[in-house]
Structure formats: structure tokens, C-alpha cells
Amino acid sequence: MTNSPIKQTPHLAPSTTTPSDHQLRSPKSNRGLRKLQSAHQLSSNYAALNAPSLISQQRQQQQQRNSSSSHNNQAPQIPPLPSHHRTRSTSDAVVPNASSSAAAAKRVVASKKNPTNQNPREEMEGLVRQGPQGDIHTELSRLRHLVLCEGLYADSDGMSQIRIYVWLILLNAPAISTDSYLELIRRGASPAYSKIRNDTFRTLATNPLFKRRVSEASLIRLLNAVAWKLHDAKIEKLAEPALVNAANERGSPELQHASPIIKHAQGPPTTTATDGSEAGGTEPGIYVQGMNVLCAPFLYAARSEAEAFVAFHGFITKECPGYVRGAMDGVHKGLALVDKCLAIVDPKLSSYLQSKHMKAELYAFASVLTMCACTPPLPEVLQLWDFLFAYGPHLNILCICAQLVIMRETLLTSPSPTKLLRSFPPLQAKLIVEITVSNLRKIPADIYEELVHHAE
């Protein structure tokens, strides 16, 4: 994972430590206890509480002396003070009851979280249009909180004017010029072009919303441009000098890389495969099957191909590079984590599926690879991705477990759950997010660490 804000462990992660007695008895806690006791002592003595303080008595005496001296000098008389009671100071105010204290505390917290008193929609649009007005980490945390609690405002087709910009912010994707994208298009067919053409025509083929908005030609252009970008990065990596610890027939490795004559004699770097299907699987590929479905929501949500390109390229290279390697090692790690996490959040369901020899690799491969984009409806996919980009795409593993929990009763009563798991039921983004957030408390710290890093 990268150092982008998304890959940081979200605030939703469960706490794995319990405060000790020494921590509970810190000096700060003792000060708070003394203040509370002092307040109770003040409120228990109502007569003393309402008696004027020494400072108040001195002020009244001073006012009387000033009034008498001004009267002797025949100056205009100062109007008398209002007859109502004086305003109490914080030190001698009556301690309110618990309910009013809780309500006041909520108002204070709300004012701190939303100092402008804007409604959530206006606040989110302001964050996107105007950028951070203060500390960037605080503003990003606020944006994530708005995405989780309020969600992005969209129509029935899932279209939102600010969604792609929120994604670009959360993915920390830099802006590029349209000319940079067009230069990749003008290069023509990439080494993975034939594989791309074999997949694009069936991308979300049964989804009318996607077919109405995104053409196959647009999908081909974007995937081909990404393939060129990954191809160039791969060539640059292979061209980097690799130091070895032993000298060969050309002499010392350090001298080989320092001498342009010897370096030129070695010849240009060669590549074993350029279509992303290398046997080793440790090198990044330029296209693997399933990238077409993973790319589809970006094109649907974006307002231009260039926006979709930079978001999709940043996503697969920073957040889940292990998913697009030739061996898809990140996907296989994710499948193992689905089995492991399901055994933690629902042991009974996990044991039943295991007894039927139903491992995640048999039913969850597409859901892991595509971040659940293979399961309709598309507007729910977009809403689920809002959550994943805000708090980390690694949470998709727990979202898959949440879908299994939703199907729990049906699966446990079915003698053949294989048929039910051939295709997941329609996504319910809000319910899935609620279950995922709840299950986070059950995940141990070491397993959560595996979730964070499994797609690297």
C-alpha cells in the first residue's frame, strides 16, 4: 500500500488494548474528578451559591461611591442598573442535570465538527470545490465522516456531480492534462490489445445503465491507455541497473554501471512477456482478466475519460497492485482472508460452508478481484465504493463476509449452498457497510494488518 490517506488504518478499526488502572488514574483524570467534586459541593449549598461574592460586594460599594460623588458635582445622573439578577459566572453557576449536560455536549461536538453550520451536502460540496480551509488531515477526516454517515447525493441512476472528484481526492490521484491521455491513445494498440478486445464486449453486458452511458470504444481506449502506461513503467523498471554481489566476466558490478561503454555492450533490456501473463507472477503485468469490470465504475462515474483514466490507474498501481500481476497473488491472499475473517465474524456459517467444501476461492474470486463491481445494481456498487475509497479498499474482504452474513439463514438451510453462491444477491450498500463496521470490532489486530497489506 501507499502512503495515501486511504491506506491508513481507518478510525473504524477496533481497539485491541484495554486501558490499565494506571492509565485511568492519570493526573488529567484526577483534575477532572476534583472539578466535578467541587461543582457538587457548590450546588449542594444553594444559599451560599446565590449570595453575592466578595468581588460583587466591592463592585456595588464602588458604584455607590461613584454615584454619590457625581450627585454632589451636579453631573448628569447615571441610569440605575436593571433590576433583574446579575449574570452568573462560570465558577458559581448551578451544575445542570445529566440530560441537559449531554444535550449541551452534543451541541458543542456538532459545532466543532461543522463550524459553519452548513448542511452535510453543502459542506461536502464546499470541501470538494474550495479545498481544505485548515489542516488537511482534519479536512480529510471530515470528508470521510461525511461519506460514511451522510453518503454522496446521487439520482436513481447513481449519478453524482461530485463523486468522481471525491474519489480522486480520497485516492490521492494527481490531475493530468487531457493531452497526456491523448498521447497514449495515439500510440495505437498496446501489447495487450487483443486480450482487452476479448473482454470489453462482455463488460457488465446485462446492465442497461452502464450500456447507455459507457460505450465499448471508450472502455477499450481507457484500458489500452492504462496498458501502455503500465508497459512503460515495466520497461523503466527493467532498465534500472541491478547490482549483484559478485563480479563476472565484465568485472565489478559497480564499474559496469558506471561505464557507459560496458553498459552499452550489454545490450538493451529484454522483456519475457508484455501481456501481463508472465509465469513468475512477481512482476507487474499490463492487463489481466477482470480489469475491464474493475474499470467500468470509474468510466460510469467520471465526467471524462481522462478523469477515469487517472483514477483507475492510480487505484490499481497504489491500492491493489497485487490484483493486476500475472499470478494475481493479491487476489488469492484476499480469498484466503475471506475464509479467515468469516470464521471470526460467523463461526457457525463458516463451519457449515467448510463442511460443504465451499472455500472462498470457489465463490468469491470475482467479488475480490472487482471490489464487488460484478454484483448489480451499479448504483449500489458506486455507493459501496464511496465507503471503500474513504476507509480503504482492503475492507472489501469484510464487505464480502457481510454479504454472506446477509444470506446466512438461506445458506444454513440449503443442502447445496453451491448453487446459491454462484451469483450473489443484489447489493445493499448501506446494510453491507453497517455489518462491515460492526464486524470490524471482532477482527484481531494481526488479521487486520493482513487485510491492509494483502493487495500490495
Side-chain angles (χ1 to χ4, degrees), residues 54-72:
L54 180 61
I55 297 177
S56 300
Q57 296 175 11
Q58 292 175 351
R59 288 178 178 174
Q60 291 177 0
Q61 294 174 2
Q62 183 66 28
Q63 290 174 356
Q64 291 174 359
R65 287 195 296 268
N66 294 339
S67 176
S68 60
S69 62
S70 61
H71 177 72
N72 295 334

Side-chain angles (χ1 to χ4, degrees), residues 10-338:
H11 296 295
L12 304 175
S15 175
T16 57
T17 60
T18 303
S20 62
D21 294 339
H22 177 72
Q23 292 172 328
L24 291 176
R25 297 172 183 172
S26 63
K28 184 176 181 180
S29 300
N30 292 333
R31 286 196 300 270
L33 182 60
R34 288 196 298 269
K35 289 181 180 179
L36 183 60
Q37 292 174 345
S38 176
H40 281 293
Q41 292 173 0
L42 286 173
S43 61
S44 61
N45 191 348
Y46 183 80
L49 179 65
N50 288 273
S53 62
L54 180 61
I55 297 177
S56 300
Q57 296 175 11
Q58 292 175 351
R59 288 178 178 174
Q60 291 177 0
Q61 294 174 2
Q62 183 66 28
Q63 290 174 356
Q64 291 174 359
R65 287 195 296 268
N66 294 339
S67 176
S68 60
S69 62
S70 61
H71 177 72
N72 295 334
N73 296 331
Q74 296 182 354
Q77 294 184 355
I78 300 176
L81 294 175
S83 60
H84 59 74
H85 297 289
R86 65 181 179 85
T87 304
R88 296 185 183 274
S89 64
T90 306
S91 59
D92 60 0
V94 177
V95 178
N97 56 39
S99 60
S100 61
S101 298
K106 289 181 179 179
R107 288 194 298 268
V108 171
V109 172
S111 63
K112 289 183 178 179
K113 288 185 176 181
N114 188 5
T116 59
N117 294 324
Q118 294 177 323
N119 65 59
R121 180 174 183 177
E122 292 178 351
E123 186 179 2
M124 188 179 297
E125 291 178 352
L127 286 173
V128 173
R129 290 194 175 98
Q130 301 174 10
Q133 302 301 309
D135 180 65
I136 186 171
H137 298 289
T138 303
E139 298 290 83
L140 279 175
S141 298
R142 180 58 182 162
L143 180 60
R144 293 190 183 101
H145 184 268
L146 288 171
V147 170
L148 175 64
C149 298
E150 304 295 338
L152 298 182
Y153 295 88
D155 58 21
S156 59
D157 292 341
M159 299 306 301
S160 171
Q161 294 182 352
I162 65 172
R163 170 168 277 128
I164 187 60
Y165 305 112
V166 173
W167 286 5
L168 290 170
I169 292 171
L170 295 174
L171 291 173
N172 195 21
I176 65 167
S177 64
T178 305
D179 291 338
S180 300
Y181 176 70
L182 293 177
E183 288 177 2
L184 295 171
I185 300 298
R186 295 189 186 102
R187 292 172 65 174
S190 69
Y193 181 75
S194 59
K195 282 192 171 185
I196 293 173
R197 289 300 305 268
N198 289 335
D199 289 343
T200 52
F201 73 92
R202 53 174 174 258
T203 304
L204 304 184
T206 59
N207 194 313
L209 293 177
F210 180 77
K211 289 296 182 182
R212 184 167 64 242
R213 179 172 175 82
V214 181
S215 66
E216 184 184 359
S218 178
L219 191 60
I220 293 172
R221 284 193 299 268
L222 192 146
L223 289 172
N224 194 69
V226 170
W228 273 124
K229 192 76 172 178
L230 297 177
H231 176 269
D232 294 345
K234 185 176 180 179
I235 295 299
E236 291 178 2
K237 183 177 180 180
L238 292 175
E240 293 178 356
L243 294 177
V244 293
N245 296 325
N248 53 28
E249 64 275 9
R250 295 190 178 92
S252 172
E254 290 80 6
L255 292 178
Q256 293 177 32
H257 299 302
S259 174
I261 299 178
I262 299 177
K263 189 174 181 180
H264 178 73
Q266 294 176 357
T270 58
T271 57
T272 57
T274 57
D275 60 352
S277 59
E278 53 273 355
T282 57
E283 295 294 331
I286 63 175
Y287 181 81
V288 295
Q289 191 173 13
M291 284 175 62
N292 56 317
V293 181
L294 195 60
C295 170
F298 288 100
L299 272 173
Y300 185 84
R303 302 169 72 90
S304 69
E305 287 184 24
E307 290 176 345
F309 166 79
V310 69
F312 177 62
H313 178 264
F315 176 67
I316 63 175
T317 55
K318 297 178 182 178
E319 303 301 331
C320 56
Y323 284 16
V324 297
R325 294 192 185 103
M328 298 184 182
D329 52 340
V331 178
H332 293 292
K333 291 178 182 178
L335 292 170
L337 284 169
V338 171

